[in-house]
Amino acid sequence: MLEKIDLKQKLKKDEYDKKMDQYGDLLGKLQRECREAKIPVIILVEGWRGAMRTDIINEMMQKMDSRGFKVFSASKMTEEQRKQPFFTSFWKQLPSYGNIAVYHRSWYFLKNEHVVADKSQVGHWLNTSYSHIRAFEKQLTDDGYVLLKFFVHVSKKQQKENMEKLNKIYGKNWKKLDVEEHDDADYDKFINAYEEMFAETDTENAPWHLIAGDDERFATVQIVESIVKTLQNALAAAEIRAQHRNIILPPRHVALNNVLEKVDLTKSLTKEEYKAEFAKCREKLKQLQLDLYEAQRSLIVAFEGWDAGGKGGAIKRLARSLDPLGYAVNPYAAPNPVEKQFHYMWRFWIKMPRAGEIAIFDRTWYGRVMVERIEHFATDAEWQRAYGEINETEAQWAEHGTIVCKFWLQIDKDEQYKRFKERENDPEKEWKITEEDWRNRDKWDAYEAAVNEMLIRTSTDYAPWTVVEGNSKYYARIKVLKTVIDAIEKAIK
Amino acid sequence: MLEKIDLKQKLKKDEYDKKMDQYGDLLGKLQRECREAKIPVIILVEGWRGAMRTDIINEMMQKMDSRGFKVFSASKMTEEQRKQPFFTSFWKQLPSYGNIAVYHRSWYFLKNEHVVADKSQVGHWLNTSYSHIRAFEKQLTDDGYVLLKFFVHVSKKQQKENMEKLNKIYGKNWKKLDVEEHDDADYDKFINAYEEMFAETDTENAPWHLIAGDDERFATVQIVESIVKTLQNALAAAEIRAQHRNIILPPRHVALNNVLEKVDLTKSLTKEEYKAEFAKCREKLKQLQLDLYEAQRSLIVAFEGWDAGGKGGAIKRLARSLDPLGYAVNPYAAPNPVEKQFHYMWRFWIKMPRAGEIAIFDRTWYGRVMVERIEHFATDAEWQRAYGEINETEAQWAEHGTIVCKFWLQIDKDEQYKRFKERENDPEKEWKITEEDWRNRDKWDAYEAAVNEMLIRTSTDYAPWTVVEGNSKYYARIKVLKTVIDAIEKAIK
């Protein structure tokens, strides 16, 4: 694609000033309108080293309100950030609805560094597949994010001139704010990587804008003009989308095995069996946690289940077996006002475990296809899309080397009633039971259907569901511990 | 203090189980009550290496709901975290109101590492003075945080035994989850450091609890018992405090110079002078930003001023002079629901610049002594205490090497009226003016008094206020730029 670009295009100073004034006013206005319409925007400015991207971004920023956006660069990631699943940092830096993030270097930088560099040096965590990049971008644009991808192209000759100019002004110092792996851009090595990148990721929802960059003024105006037009379109589209938000999709037919019906809830353990098993599991897990750390692998343990299904107790026993410095328990309720300003996966991504550590999730991203589905907090289109989004996301974690265990704690309706009543009658446990629990119980059948569909659609090799027979708490806790033990052993032995 | 501790105290298994059951139930209940009463709790478990602190914390955690607390360790800080002002990480990890943070190693660990280690190796950023530690702890307890500081003491002999035991169970691996600078605890070297620590920081609001740790069971019960009693007291005290919350303090008399009255608002620049000066400042700042990075120093630029005082314009010109990768603009409005769950300084601490970078604050922590004072969002006791708290905080930043510039953008009442009207009549600027601006204007005199007191009480050598003559926007912008330039040059040349 690059060879088709006419690099001779130029803009005179007065033309430039005129256009920038004209677009500049528009840009400020559009930024405010996007904020009001709660449209989040992500702008990537990729391109050759020495393509004066810093200056271009700076010019563009002058036309906007600096309070509504942040500038990031993937080239500034710390070693620790790089050791988390590929997209973790980008999720953490996600602009909330109505705000703008500008990337001087984005996920494409990491990808290309990996493609071009000696793989043994760069480390596997820098890599991801283009299909994951497409999935990541699609999740964002489906959620209403505007994603603008620019590639500033310069000729080999112009690149050399620009870099000499920068060296002259700032000395070798200028490179320090813009640390990149390669000291001199190896033009020919990168050109193939870039062409592959365009071929793989020039998608309908997030197309590449190729910018002729030999003339900096021309490049800047092209970029600002594209932003203006894209935001105008996005605002118009958002209005249309808002009008169609509540259209009800026809139900999709799935050959629904009733997975839950087949669970054998008579399985149980005696107190003595439980005690003996628990002691064994505990010793085992203590050792495996150290092995996990040694191997720098991380572990996600996700808990879902009926109210009073025994999540709390199971998490407690799992935690008791672990060194508190190596794990965190992340509890989730309905999203708070800040969390509501982001894509629904954001609040989970920001709690990814560090290399060698364990993150326990008490309720999870599966809320999207359970409570959000049933209570209509998500539209039909949103929750139906979520199965695929979740599978993609878990695949990204697993590919990075994160071990993913997911538990559904199953009890029957009678057992739940018994436990609710016990809680109501015990002053020590009374706090655990609320009106909402009773209301949810009334929707048992709707939840059962949603859980069944969830278990079928999101059980994968790389992130399997374990349905836990939960009527016997002893049995359930040991099954959870043994499943986690097996998963770690399978992964690192 | 340590030699007074009777290390021979022991507890038998059955006594231990009985006590832990008894306190355990209480602990869970108290945790829930603290959550309801929105009392945040910080528990430090310091002590000798090999004092089995991990096991003690683990036992204690079993009695609580793991969803309400997190465990941290200062020994796990990354290099980057260590290069920010001393307390930054601890502020970032602060539990929100109603939650609990447990420290396996706390700020005392860093302090002691520095005291004991070879200073040239450890780096100055690890250090802070005991007076800063006292101030930090006082700020938290004044805000209602319960701070429990435990020191687990063991004899030299017991330490050796414990460490051999751990080595036997886990091999050398066990140390990896608990990375500390010293491979074998140098008992005699540390004992003096610890005694100094007690002498300096055993305060009324945050006393040390010295725990006899040769018998692990005895130690655990002592700690759990102390937590139970402290939380019971805290709950009772919170109730009393709530009743007295709105007592109005008598005004304190300050010999108030009217600082604002003396500002010469006729100072101005022509457009041509401005353009020439701006170009010079811009070149200068570009270079200084690189020097700042080179020196790994960071810079805070804080903006306050009247509505329509020109903050936005000044920030824009400052930003235009900087590489966007090296700075961030952090705008602040009224605290959002999440921010309200923390100490008022929290939302600023979490935006501290990294080493070599610049953080621009558009409105600041001074809101505490302006809008929160005038609108009674803070009690009299709270905002009057804030002057001292802010001075301490800025001293901590400055001592770390962070350069602090604070600007008050001053205009007179007529000029504000003119600008408000201009905004109302310009469709491009209309969004900038709200009903609230007019309401604030009605309170001009109250604000003027508050600003005067603020400027007098919080102008320090290490973090001086610059009052900017703002009726001429050109003059104001250049004064801001020149002040920042001077501050950087003074600091790093």
Side-chain angles (χ1 to χ4, degrees):
Chain A
M1 284 168 87
L2 291 177
E3 63 181 20
K4 298 254 159 48
I5 298 175
D6 175 10
L7 288 170
K8 298 217 178 65
Q9 301 169 88
K10 278 190 189 339
L11 216 55
K12 290 209 185 96
K13 179 86 170 70
D14 55 336
E15 283 177 276
Y16 173 79
D17 287 342
K18 211 178 107 200
K19 292 220 171 192
M20 285 301 278
D21 273 351
Q22 175 199 336
Y23 288 131
D25 287 346
L26 259 173
L27 206 52
K29 188 169 150 275
L30 288 166
Q31 185 187 6
R32 290 193 298 279
E33 288 175 2
C34 283
R35 185 175 309 170
E36 266 167 52
K38 296 198 163 289
I39 298 174
V41 181
I42 299 174
I43 301 172
L44 317 185
V45 188
E46 286 286 349
W48 295 98
R49 184 158 170 76
M52 307 304 280
R53 284 169 298 113
T54 303
D55 289 355
I56 293 171
I57 291 174
N58 227 335
E59 282 306 304
M60 182 177 99
M61 284 172 70
Q62 302 321 317
K63 303 300 176 185
M64 295 198 257
D65 179 354
S66 59
R67 283 172 287 196
F69 70 87
K70 300 243 182 266
V71 182
F72 300 102
S73 180
S75 63
K76 295 187 75 197
M77 282 168 79
T78 61
E79 195 56 25
E80 192 184 311
Q81 288 172 323
R82 288 169 175 240
K83 282 192 189 171
Q84 291 194 310
F86 189 84
F87 291 103
T88 309
S89 290
F90 303 110
W91 276 99
K92 286 189 181 173
Q93 293 163 345
L94 205 64
S96 60
Y97 296 147
N99 287 307
I100 300 177
V102 178
Y103 277 92
H104 170 267
R105 285 291 193 196
S106 69
W107 42 95
Y108 289 104
F109 167 70
L110 297 184
K111 175 70 184 160
N112 285 315
E113 285 295 294
H114 186 266
V115 169
V116 171
D118 170 12
K119 295 191 189 199
S120 62
Q121 275 198 353
V122 178
H124 78 283
W125 49 76
L126 272 186
N127 200 9
T128 196
S129 66
Y130 280 121
S131 70
H132 283 327
I133 290 183
R134 284 192 300 267
F136 171 63
E137 294 182 350
K138 187 79 165 55
Q139 286 189 24
L140 295 181
T141 56
D142 275 350
D143 196 46
Y145 281 75
V146 174
L147 182 54
L148 267 150
K149 306 192 296 196
F150 294 105
F151 185 91
V152 185
H153 182 40
V154 289
S155 61
K156 209 165 174 175
K157 185 169 154 276
Q158 188 65 43
Q159 184 188 41
K160 202 161 167 255
E161 269 176 40
N162 287 350
M163 287 173 79
E164 275 162 12
K165 196 174 89 185
L166 288 165
N167 271 331
K168 213 154 133 191
I169 303 176
Y170 299 117
K172 290 282 171 189
N173 256 353
W174 71 277
K175 284 187 184 156
K176 289 197 181 138
L177 275 172
D178 176 26
V179 187
E180 298 185 5
E181 299 275 334
H182 301 275
D183 216 17
D184 8 63
D186 194 333
Y187 202 90
D188 300 321
K189 227 169 165 183
F190 272 95
I191 203 157
N192 292 325
Y194 289 148
E195 291 291 354
E196 188 192 347
M197 169 178 92
F198 299 135
E200 292 274 2
T201 60
D202 190 39
T203 54
E204 200 189 325
N205 60 304
W208 279 101
H209 300 257
L210 303 184
I211 304 294
D214 271 7
D215 182 68
E216 200 182 316
R217 285 197 286 260
F218 185 79
T220 307
V221 167
Q222 276 181 294
I223 287 179
V224 171
E225 189 180 350
S226 297
I227 297 175
V228 163
K229 291 194 173 149
T230 305
L231 294 188
Q232 284 170 334
N233 285 342
L235 283 159
E239 217 159 288
I240 294 168
R241 218 176 21 238
Q243 288 161 8
H244 293 80
R245 192 182 138 80
N246 289 317
I247 285 179
I248 291 165
L249 294 185
R252 297 180 303 175
H253 290 281
V254 218
L256 274 186
N257 253 314
N258 193 329
V259 180
L260 294 182
E261 222 174 48
K262 290 184 193 146
V263 177
D264 177 7
L265 290 173
T266 64
K267 286 185 182 175
S268 69
L269 283 184
T270 64
K271 190 168 185 178
E272 289 63 42
E273 288 171 322
Y274 167 71
K275 278 195 160 178
E277 292 277 9
F278 180 60
K280 269 192 273 176
C281 288
R282 196 175 171 179
E283 277 318 297
K284 194 89 201 149
L285 264 172
K286 270 192 176 182
Q287 187 55 54
L288 284 173
Q289 189 184 12
L290 293 167
D291 297 343
L292 200 67
Y293 189 83
E294 178 80 11
Q296 288 283 290
R297 296 284 291 271
S298 53
L299 168 66
I300 290 172
V301 191
F303 284 91
E304 290 286 358
W306 295 105
D307 291 329
K311 284 194 303 297
I315 290 173
K316 220 169 182 170
R317 271 59 181 199
L318 175 60
R320 179 175 291 189
S321 313
L322 300 169
D323 183 326
L325 288 181
Y327 78 89
V329 179
N330 306 302
Y332 288 87
N336 67 34
V338 171
E339 291 167 342
K340 277 186 189 155
Q341 296 304 310
F342 290 91
H343 188 286
Y344 73 96
M345 281 303 295
W346 174 80
R347 60 183 186 143
F348 304 102
W349 269 100
I350 62 174
K351 298 291 182 184
M352 277 297 102
R354 303 200 291 190
E357 299 192 354
I358 300 169
I360 297 169
F361 291 90
D362 184 353
R363 299 212 179 273
T364 70
W365 43 99
Y366 285 98
R368 190 70 163 180
V369 294
M370 293 195 291
V371 58
E372 292 192 41
R373 164 184 178 169
I374 286 163
E375 303 289 348
H376 304 294
F377 300 146
T379 64
D380 285 3
E382 283 169 344
W383 66 258
Q384 293 195 12
R385 197 169 68 216
Y387 300 113
E389 292 172 338
I390 288 173
N391 286 339
E392 288 159 9
T393 302
E394 291 174 350
Q396 290 166 13
W397 298 340
E399 224 178 80
H400 173 77
T402 300
I403 305 161
V404 184
C405 295
K406 306 184 298 199
F407 293 104
W408 173 263
L409 292 177
Q410 173 66 7
I411 52 173
D412 59 33
K413 222 174 158 180
D414 292 344
E415 179 67 24
Q416 189 188 50
Y417 185 81
K418 211 183 90 199
R419 291 186 187 178
F420 277 14
K421 280 293 168 193
E422 267 169 27
R423 286 180 177 185
E424 283 187 337
N425 297 328
D426 181 348
E428 290 295 311
K429 287 187 176 170
E430 212 190 324
W431 62 277
K432 279 187 168 183
I433 180 104
T434 64
E435 274 304 308
E436 208 191 323
D437 293 325
W438 287 106
R439 277 198 302 276
N440 287 342
R441 184 178 159 79
D442 289 341
K443 296 176 185 163
W444 182 282
D445 293 345
Y447 271 100
E448 195 171 62
V451 172
N452 262 312
E453 184 164 359
M454 168 185 95
L455 293 174
I456 291 168
R457 288 193 186 274
T458 60
S459 264
T460 54
D461 287 348
Y462 48 84
W465 275 104
T466 302
V467 178
V468 179
E469 298 83 351
N471 274 15
S472 155
K473 286 184 181 178
Y474 292 146
Y475 181 86
R477 290 170 192 168
I478 298 300
K479 178 156 180 181
V480 166
L481 293 176
K482 285 188 167 172
T483 307
V484 172
I485 288 170
D486 284 350
I488 302 176
E489 283 185 337
K490 207 177 119 200
I492 65 178
K493 292 284 154 150
Chain B
M1 285 167 84
L2 290 178
E3 62 181 20
K4 295 257 159 49
I5 297 175
D6 175 10
L7 287 171
K8 298 218 181 60
Q9 300 170 88
K10 277 192 191 337
L11 216 54
K12 291 206 186 97
K13 178 84 170 73
D14 56 334
E15 283 178 277
Y16 173 78
D17 286 342
K18 210 178 107 197
K19 291 219 173 193
M20 285 300 277
D21 273 352
Q22 175 199 338
Y23 288 131
D25 286 346
L26 260 171
L27 206 53
K29 187 168 151 274
L30 289 165
Q31 185 187 6
R32 290 193 297 278
E33 287 174 4
C34 283
R35 185 175 308 169
E36 266 166 51
K38 295 198 162 290
I39 299 174
V41 181
I42 300 174
I43 301 172
L44 317 184
V45 188
E46 285 286 350
W48 296 97
R49 183 157 171 75
M52 309 302 281
R53 285 170 297 110
T54 302
D55 289 355
I56 292 172
I57 292 174
N58 226 335
E59 282 305 305
M60 182 176 99
M61 284 172 70
Q62 301 323 317
K63 302 300 176 185
M64 295 198 260
D65 180 356
S66 60
R67 284 171 285 196
F69 69 88
K70 299 241 183 267
V71 183
F72 301 103
S73 179
S75 63
K76 295 187 76 196
M77 283 168 78
T78 62
E79 194 57 24
E80 193 183 311
Q81 288 172 323
R82 287 169 176 241
K83 281 192 189 171
Q84 292 195 309
F86 189 83
F87 291 103
T88 309
S89 290
F90 303 110
W91 277 99
K92 286 188 180 173
Q93 293 163 347
L94 206 64
S96 60
Y97 297 148
N99 287 308
I100 301 177
V102 177
Y103 276 93
H104 171 266
R105 285 291 194 196
S106 70
W107 41 95
Y108 289 104
F109 167 72
L110 296 184
K111 175 70 182 160
N112 284 315
E113 285 295 295
H114 186 266
V115 169
V116 171
D118 171 11
K119 294 191 191 201
S120 62
Q121 274 200 351
V122 178
H124 79 283
W125 50 75
L126 272 186
N127 200 10
T128 194
S129 66
Y130 279 121
S131 70
H132 284 325
I133 289 182
R134 284 192 300 266
F136 170 64
E137 294 181 350
K138 188 79 165 56
Q139 286 188 25
L140 294 181
T141 56
D142 275 350
D143 196 45
Y145 280 76
V146 174
L147 182 53
L148 267 149
K149 306 192 296 197
F150 294 105
F151 185 91
V152 186
H153 183 40
V154 288
S155 61
K156 208 166 173 172
K157 185 168 151 279
Q158 188 65 43
Q159 185 188 41
K160 205 164 163 252
E161 269 176 40
N162 288 350
M163 288 172 77
E164 275 163 12
K165 196 173 87 183
L166 288 166
N167 271 332
K168 216 154 128 191
I169 302 177
Y170 300 118
K172 289 282 170 188
N173 256 352
W174 72 276
K175 284 185 183 155
K176 289 197 182 139
L177 275 171
D178 175 28
V179 188
E180 299 187 3
E181 299 275 334
H182 301 276
D183 215 17
D184 10 63
D186 193 333
Y187 203 90
D188 300 321
K189 226 167 164 186
F190 272 96
I191 202 157
N192 292 325
Y194 288 148
E195 291 290 355
E196 188 192 348
M197 169 177 93
F198 298 135
E200 292 275 0
T201 60
D202 190 39
T203 55
E204 201 187 324
N205 59 304
W208 278 102
H209 299 258
L210 304 184
I211 303 295
D214 272 8
D215 181 67
E216 202 183 314
R217 286 197 286 260
F218 185 79
T220 307
V221 167
Q222 276 181 295
I223 288 179
V224 172
E225 188 180 353
S226 298
I227 297 175
V228 163
K229 290 193 174 150
T230 306
L231 295 187
Q232 283 171 336
N233 284 342
L235 283 159
E239 216 159 289
I240 294 167
R241 216 174 28 237
Q243 287 161 10
H244 293 79
R245 192 182 139 80
N246 289 317
I247 286 179
I248 290 163
L249 294 184
R252 297 178 305 174
H253 291 280
V254 219
L256 275 186
N257 256 313
N258 193 328
V259 181
L260 294 183
E261 221 171 51
K262 290 183 193 147
V263 176
D264 177 6
L265 290 174
T266 65
K267 287 186 181 170
S268 68
L269 284 185
T270 64
K271 190 168 184 178
E272 289 66 40
E273 289 171 320
Y274 167 71
K275 277 196 162 179
E277 293 276 10
F278 181 60
K280 268 192 274 176
C281 289
R282 197 177 170 179
E283 277 317 297
K284 193 94 200 144
L285 263 173
K286 270 192 177 182
Q287 188 56 53
L288 284 172
Q289 189 184 12
L290 292 167
D291 297 342
L292 200 68
Y293 189 84
E294 179 79 12
Q296 287 284 290
R297 296 284 291 271
S298 54
L299 168 66
I300 289 172
V301 192
F303 286 90
E304 290 285 358
W306 296 106
D307 291 328
K311 286 193 304 296
I315 290 172
K316 220 169 181 170
R317 271 61 183 196
L318 175 59
R320 180 176 293 192
S321 313
L322 301 169
D323 183 326
L325 288 181
Y327 77 89
V329 179
N330 306 302
Y332 287 89
N336 67 32
V338 171
E339 292 167 342
K340 277 185 189 156
Q341 295 305 309
F342 290 91
H343 188 286
Y344 73 96
M345 281 303 294
W346 174 79
R347 60 184 186 142
F348 304 103
W349 269 100
I350 62 173
K351 298 290 182 186
M352 279 297 100
R354 302 201 290 190
E357 299 193 354
I358 300 169
I360 298 169
F361 290 90
D362 184 354
R363 300 214 180 273
T364 70
W365 43 98
Y366 285 98
R368 189 73 163 179
V369 294
M370 293 196 293
V371 57
E372 291 192 40
R373 165 183 177 170
I374 286 162
E375 303 290 348
H376 305 294
F377 300 146
T379 65
D380 285 4
E382 283 170 344
W383 66 258
Q384 293 195 15
R385 196 170 69 217
Y387 299 113
E389 292 172 338
I390 288 172
N391 286 338
E392 288 159 8
T393 302
E394 291 174 351
Q396 290 166 14
W397 297 340
E399 225 178 80
H400 173 75
T402 300
I403 305 162
V404 184
C405 294
K406 304 183 299 197
F407 294 103
W408 173 262
L409 292 178
Q410 174 66 6
I411 52 174
D412 59 32
K413 221 174 159 179
D414 293 344
E415 180 66 23
Q416 189 188 50
Y417 185 80
K418 211 183 87 199
R419 292 186 187 180
F420 277 14
K421 281 291 169 194
E422 267 170 26
R423 288 181 176 186
E424 283 187 336
N425 298 327
D426 181 347
E428 290 295 309
K429 287 186 175 171
E430 213 190 324
W431 61 277
K432 280 187 169 184
I433 180 105
T434 63
E435 275 303 309
E436 209 192 321
D437 293 326
W438 287 106
R439 277 198 302 275
N440 287 341
R441 183 177 160 82
D442 289 340
K443 296 177 185 165
W444 182 282
D445 293 346
Y447 271 100
E448 195 170 64
V451 172
N452 262 311
E453 185 165 359
M454 168 185 93
L455 293 174
I456 291 168
R457 289 194 187 273
T458 59
S459 264
T460 55
D461 287 349
Y462 49 84
W465 274 105
T466 302
V467 179
V468 179
E469 298 82 351
N471 274 15
S472 156
K473 286 184 180 176
Y474 292 146
Y475 181 86
R477 290 170 192 169
I478 298 299
K479 180 157 179 179
V480 166
L481 292 176
K482 284 187 166 172
T483 308
V484 172
I485 288 170
D486 285 350
I488 302 177
E489 282 184 337
K490 209 177 116 198
I492 64 178
K493 293 279 152 150

